[in-house]
Amino acid sequence: MISPVLILFSSFLCHVAIAGRTCPKPDDLPFSTVVPLKTFYEPGEEITYSCKPGYVSRGGMRKFICPLTGLWPINTLKCTPRVCPFAGILENGAVRYTTFEYPNTISFSCNTGFYLNGADSAKCTEEGKWSPELPVCAPIICPPPSIPTFATLRVYKPSAGNNSLYRDTAVFECLPQHAMFGNDTITCTTHGNWTKLPECRASCKVPVKKATVVYQGERVKIQEKFKNGMLHGDKVSFFCKNKEKKCSYTEDAQCIDGTIEVPKCFKEHSSLAFWKTDASDVKPC
Ligand SMILES: *[C@@H]1O[C@H](CO)[C@@H](O)[C@H](O)[C@H]1NC(C)=O
Ligand SMILES: *[C@@H]1O[C@H](CO)[C@@H](O)[C@H](O)[C@H]1NC(C)=O
Ligand SMILES: *[C@@H]1O[C@H](CO)[C@@H](O)[C@H](O)[C@H]1NC(C)=O
C-alpha cells in the first residue's frame, strides 16, 4: 500500500527536477573556499565563497543561489594575499624580499661592524603581521680589554660609552725590564671580543760581569750584546774548561721569566787575572 503523502512528495520532487537543472560543482576561485561544497546543487541552494586564511576579498559577490538555468553566475570575487607592513629597509643592513605579502618570508643581514639583534628572517603571517618581529642591526662592541700582567695600555680610547666598536684597536706596552710576546696591538673582532692579548715576561739582568758566549751561533760578549738585559726566552751558551783534557765545551743557559742560571762549570776570571786563558779561547774538546 502506498501512502498518499509519499505520492504527493514524489510528484513534488519530479516537479522541481523538471522545473530546473541542477548546478555543477562551482568553479575553483584562487585562495578561496566554498561552503557547502558538493558535486551538484538543486536550484535554490545557496553557496558562500570565503577567502582562505591570509587572503582578503577585494569586492565581488560572495553568496550565490543556484538558478533554475543550472548555471552559476559569473563570479567576480577576488581573494588577494594580505600585505604585511613595509619592511624593505633595515638600518645598517639589508633586506632580501620579493613581496611583503602572505605567505612570503624575507631575510635580513647586517653591514660589517653590526650584528643582527633578532631573527635573520621573518614571515608574513595570515594576520598580516611579521613573525617573529623585525630585527635591528646593532653595532658590535667589545668590552674594555683585560690587561696582561707586566703591561699597561698605551693607546686605548673607548668609542661606545665604556666599550669599543668593531675594528677599534688598543695598544699595550710592557713595564720596564719586560719583554712582549705576541702582538702589542689588539683589535675588536666581529665576535665582540678582542684578538689575542700579548704576553709580557720579565727580562733577565746579565748574570755575569763579562763573558764570551755563543748566541744564535755567534760568539758575542754577553755584557755588550745584552747591556739592556736579556729577554725572556733568550738562550746563550757559556764556555767551560775541561781541566784534565785541557779543552773547552759549552753549556746552555736561558732567561726564563726574569731568571737565568749560569752553568756551574763556568768560571768567571777577575779582570786582573790577565794571565789566565779564558775557556772560550781554549780549543774545543
Ligand atoms: C662606564 O663605567 C662606569 C663605571 O663602571 C659607570 O659608572 C658609567 O655609567 C659607565 N658609562 C657608560 C656610558 O656606560
Ligand atoms: C698586529 O696586529 C695588527 C692589528 O691587528 C696587524 O695589523 C699587524 O699586522 C699585527 N702585527 C704582527 C707582527 O702580527
Ligand atoms: C672570540 O670569540 C669567538 C667566538 O665565540 C671565539 O671563537 C674566539 O676564540 C674568541 N677569541 C678570543 C681571542 O678569545
Side-chain angles (χ1 to χ4, degrees), residues 94-163:
V95 187
R96 279 185 50 198
Y97 61 90
T98 47
T99 72
F100 302 125
E101 291 171 345
Y102 173 81
N104 286 346
T105 295
I106 61 178
S107 56
F108 313 99
S109 58
C110 291
N111 298 343
T112 41
F114 294 84
Y115 72 96
L116 210 51
N117 192 353
D120 63 0
S121 66
K123 188 183 155 72
C124 183
T125 63
E126 289 173 359
E127 294 78 36
K129 289 183 186 140
W130 293 113
S131 176
E133 278 183 39
L134 300 179
V136 293
C137 288
I140 291 166
I141 54 165
C142 288
S146 41
I147 296 173
T149 42
F150 309 128
T152 55
L153 271 171
R154 184 161 65 80
V155 181
Y156 173 61
K157 203 158 161 269
S159 54
N162 286 337
N163 300 311

Side-chain angles (χ1 to χ4, degrees), residues 8-273:
L8 201 72
F9 184 60
S10 309
S11 69
F12 170 71
L13 277 184
C14 285
H15 174 77
V16 169
I18 289 158
R21 296 160 176 230
T22 57
C23 288
K25 189 176 172 222
D27 282 346
D28 263 347
L29 211 68
F31 315 125
S32 72
T33 51
V34 177
V35 176
L37 185 62
K38 306 200 289 191
T39 47
F40 66 89
Y41 301 79
E42 299 297 344
E45 272 194 277
E46 189 185 79
I47 57 168
T48 306
Y49 278 90
S50 36
C51 292
K52 286 183 174 168
Y55 297 84
V56 285
S57 71
R58 275 252 219 94
M61 289 268 291
R62 298 169 138 276
K63 284 181 192 294
F64 298 91
I65 293 170
C66 176
L68 290 176
T69 57
L71 299 171
W72 292 111
I74 288 171
N75 192 338
T76 55
L77 179 74
K78 268 216 163 72
C79 290
T80 55
R82 278 188 197 276
V83 182
C84 278
F86 178 80
I89 291 174
L90 178 63
E91 218 177 312
N92 300 310
V95 187
R96 279 185 50 198
Y97 61 90
T98 47
T99 72
F100 302 125
E101 291 171 345
Y102 173 81
N104 286 346
T105 295
I106 61 178
S107 56
F108 313 99
S109 58
C110 291
N111 298 343
T112 41
F114 294 84
Y115 72 96
L116 210 51
N117 192 353
D120 63 0
S121 66
K123 188 183 155 72
C124 183
T125 63
E126 289 173 359
E127 294 78 36
K129 289 183 186 140
W130 293 113
S131 176
E133 278 183 39
L134 300 179
V136 293
C137 288
I140 291 166
I141 54 165
C142 288
S146 41
I147 296 173
T149 42
F150 309 128
T152 55
L153 271 171
R154 184 161 65 80
V155 181
Y156 173 61
K157 203 158 161 269
S159 54
N162 286 337
N163 300 311
S164 298
L165 291 172
Y166 171 64
R167 282 192 181 147
D168 279 354
T169 57
V171 183
F172 292 106
E173 75 185 349
C174 287
L175 298 180
Q177 301 304 315
H178 290 78
M180 185 169 295
F181 289 79
N183 199 326
D184 67 346
T185 305
I186 56 169
T187 308
C188 177
T189 73
T190 51
H191 304 294
N193 57 12
W194 295 93
T195 52
K196 202 172 182 305
L197 297 177
E199 268 184 85
C200 318
R201 307 249 180 85
S203 56
C204 301
K205 280 203 188 110
V206 173
V208 294
K209 281 210 182 65
K210 50 184 275 197
T212 296
V213 295
V214 178
Y215 174 65
Q216 293 182 345
E218 283 182 33
R219 284 171 166 249
V220 296
K221 290 195 159 54
I222 196 169
Q223 67 278 14
E224 286 170 17
K225 182 79 190 172
F226 297 104
K227 58 177 178 290
N228 297 322
M230 297 175 71
L231 297 185
H232 170 87
D234 276 349
K235 196 191 221 175
V236 295
S237 306
F238 282 88
F239 287 94
C240 299
K241 268 188 211 170
N242 181 324
K243 292 225 172 69
E244 289 83 51
K245 295 186 180 164
K246 293 196 161 37
C247 59
S248 70
Y249 60 97
T250 59
E251 272 196 21
D252 293 344
Q254 189 172 24
C255 170
I256 303 287
D257 212 359
T259 308
I260 182 165
E261 266 185 56
V262 178
K264 292 206 170 59
C265 64
F266 174 79
K267 294 283 179 299
E268 191 171 6
H269 296 300
S270 152
S271 51
L272 295 175

